[in-house]
């Protein structure tokens, strides 16, 4: 539930200049109050105990106790929404993915390194993420890229297995799965994809809102923990069963035909609903190439990206699943789709993999 009154934020950064910049950005929104600032992790933990903030913005690189160590302690002593502030570099991407595994709700990329004088360029993004985090459900440390593959390999259920499963609600052929996710999506996808069998019979395309510096590392880590193949999309990449393609940050993923085969294309069109990649664009391109023979899945995330594209798919006969509020980190995108009246099934995250298998098999 969102906090009553103003959203109280603790700003943690070892740079006094960055603390001032971020505080000024947050104070510019009347819904937000800067409860205090801290110069390092040790100071932050002490401030959390005394100030009891609703949200923490936490710098990754700090002396005494770095951002990851601090985040771990916060999740132990007082699990509250934490937004990591990270450099937009390969190293920053790896650290941010570790932070997501530890339980941070979202992250903000510094546009130009550890002390970013143009942090104001992402000022609106900071405000929107703090507002969204105020409604976030903090999830305990989970399985984000947690364990390597075991010897137990899941397989497609047999017909006798299906008799014991929920009877298929979906009718018609499903030739592709299209997934949208945003805030909380990295953790959700890390739980969903590893539960799919290696012989999953159709391709999967995914739009996860992430900067371009992060999606490659994200796809690689998901691939290491999944039975299916997980890759970052690129121009001309062929879609095939058992392969999940993640839209590269900074480009819209579109699906097109080349010599009869479905392949990935990348579009540099402007952001849609302030996001790039946008699930709406991916969904619309899937509708153009696959018509209604699609399973559409909308996972946790702020905003309403995906609703318009899912509506277009639904009109052609697609089947739409939305993640339920009880497992969403932020119940924004699934709620928007549900409120639009286009959702066929609402499921908690842990039930979505089996539903995907059931529907594409059906």
């Amino acid at each position: 539930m969102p906090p009553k009154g103003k959203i109280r934020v603790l700003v943690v950064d070892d740079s006094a200049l960055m603390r001032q910049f971020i505080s000024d950005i947050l104070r510019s929104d009347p819904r937000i109050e800067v409860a205090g600032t801290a110069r390092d992790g040790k100071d932050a933990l002490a401030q959390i105990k005394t100030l009891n903030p609703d949200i923490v913005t936490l710098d990754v690189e700090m002396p005494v106790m770095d951002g990851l160590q601090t985040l771990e302690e916060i999740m132990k002593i007082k699990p509250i929404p934490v937004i990591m502030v990270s450099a937009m570099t390969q190293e920053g991407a790896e650290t941010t993915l570790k932070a997501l595994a530890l339980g941070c709700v979202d992250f903000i990329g510094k546009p130009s390194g550890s002390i970013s004088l143009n942090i104001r360029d992402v000022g609106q993004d900071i405000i929107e993420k703090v507002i969204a985090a105020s409604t976030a459900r903090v999830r305990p440390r989970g399985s984000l890229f947690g364990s390597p593959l075991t010897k137990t390999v899941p397989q497609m259920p047999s017909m006798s297995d299906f008799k014991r499963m929920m009877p298929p609600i979906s009718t018609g052929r499903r030739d592709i799965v299209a997934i949208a996710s945003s805030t909380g999506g990295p953790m959700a996808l890390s739980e969903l994809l590893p539960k799919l069998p290696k012989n999953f019979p159709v391709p999967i395309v995914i739009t996860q809102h992430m900067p371009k510096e992060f999606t490659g590392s994200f796809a690689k880590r998901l691939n290491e923990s999944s039975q299916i193949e997980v890759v970052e999309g690129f121009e001309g990449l062929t879609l095939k069963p058992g392969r999940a393609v993640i839209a590269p940050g900074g480009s819209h993923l579109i699906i097109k035909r080349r010599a009869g085969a479905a392949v990935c294309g990348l579009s540099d069109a402007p952001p849609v609903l302030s996001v790039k990649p946008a699930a709406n664009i991916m969904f619309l391109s899937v509708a153009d190439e696959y018509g209604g023979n699609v399973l559409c899945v909308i996972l946790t995330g702020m905003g309403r990206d995906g609703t318009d594209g899912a509506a277009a798919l639904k009109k052609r006969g697609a089947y739409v699943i939305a993640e339920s509020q009880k497992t969403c980190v932020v119940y924004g995108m699934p709620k928007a789709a549900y409120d639009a009246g286009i959702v066929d099934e609402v499921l908690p995250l842990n039930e979505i993999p089996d539903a995907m298998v059931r529907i594409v098999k059906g």
Side-chain angles (χ1 to χ4, degrees), residues 72-191:
E72 239 180 324
E73 289 302 309
I74 292 173
M75 291 299 118
K76 289 177 185 176
I77 64 170
K78 186 179 176 59
I80 56 176
V82 175
I83 299 175
M84 302 301 292
V85 182
S86 172
M88 300 284 276
T89 62
Q90 184 64 37
E91 184 179 349
E94 293 290 338
T95 303
T96 300
L97 292 173
K98 292 177 183 177
L100 290 166
L102 290 172
C104 88
V105 169
D106 209 339
F107 59 90
I108 299 160
K110 293 181 180 179
S112 58
S114 58
I115 300 180
S116 181
L117 299 181
N118 56 343
I119 189 70
R120 297 182 194 276
D121 292 350
V122 294
Q124 190 57 40
D125 190 38
I126 294 174
I127 290 170
E128 289 176 358
K129 290 191 175 188
V130 165
I131 299 297
S134 71
T135 67
R137 181 190 303 270
V138 178
R139 302 181 65 186
R141 180 173 177 164
S143 60
L144 187 63
F145 324 119
S147 57
L149 298 179
T150 65
K151 294 181 180 180
T152 303
V153 180
Q155 297 294 323
M156 289 296 294
S158 65
M159 289 308 297
S160 60
D161 291 329
F162 272 102
K163 291 178 182 177
R164 294 192 294 270
M165 297 170 73
M166 181 189 303
I169 301 171
S170 170
T171 59
R173 195 172 77 248
R174 309 298 168 192
D175 295 333
I176 190 170
V177 177
I179 301 175
S181 58
S182 186
T183 313
M187 181 65 77
L189 290 168
S190 79
E191 294 182 20

Side-chain angles (χ1 to χ4, degrees), residues 16-349:
L17 188 59
M18 285 298 296
R19 292 198 298 272
Q20 186 64 54
F21 279 171
I22 294 174
S23 295
D24 287 348
I25 288 168
L26 295 176
R27 289 191 184 104
S28 70
D29 191 290
R31 295 168 291 182
I32 299 172
E33 172 189 342
V34 177
T37 62
R39 64 185 180 276
D40 57 48
K42 187 176 180 180
D43 186 20
L45 294 175
Q47 297 268 28
I48 288 171
K49 290 179 181 178
T50 57
L51 297 175
N52 194 31
D54 299 309
I55 295 169
V56 175
T57 67
L58 182 60
D59 187 27
V60 168
E61 299 177 11
M62 298 184 297
V64 184
M65 181 183 287
D66 67 22
L68 290 179
Q69 293 171 317
T70 306
L71 175 62
E72 239 180 324
E73 289 302 309
I74 292 173
M75 291 299 118
K76 289 177 185 176
I77 64 170
K78 186 179 176 59
I80 56 176
V82 175
I83 299 175
M84 302 301 292
V85 182
S86 172
M88 300 284 276
T89 62
Q90 184 64 37
E91 184 179 349
E94 293 290 338
T95 303
T96 300
L97 292 173
K98 292 177 183 177
L100 290 166
L102 290 172
C104 88
V105 169
D106 209 339
F107 59 90
I108 299 160
K110 293 181 180 179
S112 58
S114 58
I115 300 180
S116 181
L117 299 181
N118 56 343
I119 189 70
R120 297 182 194 276
D121 292 350
V122 294
Q124 190 57 40
D125 190 38
I126 294 174
I127 290 170
E128 289 176 358
K129 290 191 175 188
V130 165
I131 299 297
S134 71
T135 67
R137 181 190 303 270
V138 178
R139 302 181 65 186
R141 180 173 177 164
S143 60
L144 187 63
F145 324 119
S147 57
L149 298 179
T150 65
K151 294 181 180 180
T152 303
V153 180
Q155 297 294 323
M156 289 296 294
S158 65
M159 289 308 297
S160 60
D161 291 329
F162 272 102
K163 291 178 182 177
R164 294 192 294 270
M165 297 170 73
M166 181 189 303
I169 301 171
S170 170
T171 59
R173 195 172 77 248
R174 309 298 168 192
D175 295 333
I176 190 170
V177 177
I179 301 175
S181 58
S182 186
T183 313
M187 181 65 77
L189 290 168
S190 79
E191 294 182 20
L192 189 159
L193 296 184
K195 291 181 180 178
L196 298 178
K198 184 177 183 178
N199 57 341
F200 193 75
V202 302
I204 301 170
V205 290
I206 301 166
T207 288
Q208 162 67 46
H209 299 156
M210 253 185 184
K212 62 182 179 180
E213 294 84 359
F214 291 13
T215 44
S217 295
F218 181 51
K220 180 180 177 182
R221 285 170 171 263
L222 281 173
N223 186 61
E224 291 169 353
S225 63
S226 302
Q227 291 294 333
I228 63 172
E229 179 189 15
V230 185
V231 296
E232 183 183 38
F234 58 84
E235 187 73 36
L237 174 66
T238 303
L239 301 185
K240 65 178 184 179
R243 171 180 284 171
V245 179
I246 295 181
S251 296
H252 299 297
L253 180 66
I254 58 174
I255 309 306
K256 55 188 179 180
R257 298 281 174 178
R258 180 179 296 171
V263 301
C264 296
L266 302 181
S267 169
D268 195 34
V272 176
L273 297 177
S274 303
V275 292
K276 185 178 180 180
N280 276 328
I281 287 185
M282 183 184 75
F283 285 171
L284 290 172
S285 73
V286 169
D288 287 342
E289 299 301 333
Y290 287 87
N293 300 332
V294 180
L295 170 58
C296 179
V297 181
I298 302 179
L299 301 175
T300 174
M302 68 178 180
R304 54 171 286 114
D305 183 33
T307 295
D308 294 337
L313 282 166
K314 180 66 178 173
K315 285 181 180 179
R316 297 196 182 195
Y319 194 80
V320 181
I321 293 176
E323 183 180 353
S324 69
Q325 183 175 5
K326 70 179 182 180
T327 59
C328 281
V329 172
V330 175
Y331 187 52
M333 287 163 48
K335 182 180 187 299
Y338 181 81
D339 290 346
I342 60 172
V343 174
D344 294 290
E345 202 168 351
V346 176
L347 294 172
L349 179 63

